[in-house]
Amino acid sequence: MANSASGMAVHDDCKLKFQELKAKRNYRFITFKIEAQQVVVDKLGNPQSTYEDFTASLPADECRYAVFDFDFTTNENCQKSKIFFIAWSPDTSIVRMKMVYASSKDRFKRELDGIQLELQATDPSEMSFDIIKARAL
């Protein structure tokens, strides 16, 4: 387990599952949560999962970190993929929770080597499919 300056540990499973998403494409998305002072894997989305499946898996009133493997076609008709890191911090979540997630985010993100784009969202409209697509292109 890796320790961070904020006192937050990162469970080895987090990096392992992320490597599987990145290298083997075993998952479409992974959500992570902070539990007992460490970041742990929350949910795994199978490779057939859609972006809607991913957004539906995020709790409405709790913070999460997530990675999403976004496949898209460029304007030049090339198939590409980008890995997004999403910091989900809904307005309805507890202030202390938002602070813990915000203070641990950069350290956790550094543990996941291969993230290409980052997005922060406090409400589903801030991470709509159109926003993700626009950021990827």
Side-chain angles (χ1 to χ4, degrees):
M1 257 181 278
N3 287 313
S4 73
S6 68
M8 195 63 60
V10 176
H11 195 280
D12 294 336
D13 231 20
C14 296
K15 288 187 275 190
L16 185 72
K17 297 297 182 199
F18 178 73
Q19 288 303 326
E20 289 175 13
L21 175 142
K22 190 173 85 170
K24 300 178 188 163
R25 302 181 69 108
N26 288 2
Y27 312 107
R28 173 65 57 199
F29 66 85
I30 307 170
T31 62
F32 305 94
K33 65 181 174 182
I34 295 175
E35 213 171 60
Q37 292 297 303
Q38 78 169 342
V39 182
V40 296
V41 172
D42 179 37
K43 293 180 184 154
L44 299 166
N46 68 43
Q48 292 75 40
S49 295
T50 64
Y51 190 69
E52 289 72 31
D53 296 333
F54 162 64
T55 55
S57 77
L58 294 170
D61 58 353
E62 287 181 30
C63 300
R64 290 290 186 271
Y65 300 126
V67 287
F68 185 82
D69 187 7
F70 181 63
D71 290 331
F72 62 100
T73 306
T74 65
N75 297 333
E76 295 80 40
N77 216 18
C78 295
Q79 280 298 114
K80 291 223 171 165
S81 168
K82 294 238 169 134
I83 297 175
F84 276 84
F85 178 86
I86 298 167
W88 172 243
S89 185
D91 291 329
T92 53
S93 61
I94 301 164
V95 172
R96 171 151 175 63
M97 185 188 288
K98 288 196 257 193
M99 289 169 61
V100 168
Y101 274 79
S103 67
S104 308
K105 179 184 69 131
D106 289 335
R107 174 72 177 88
F108 176 59
K109 202 174 90 178
R110 278 197 299 273
E111 295 284 331
L112 307 178
D113 186 38
I115 287 173
Q116 294 154 306
L117 295 164
E118 182 181 341
L119 197 66
Q120 283 192 256
T122 58
D123 145 308
S125 68
E126 293 176 7
M127 52 181 244
S128 70
F129 185 78
D130 293 339
I131 290 172
I132 293 282
K133 191 171 180 182
R135 291 284 302 275
L137 296 170

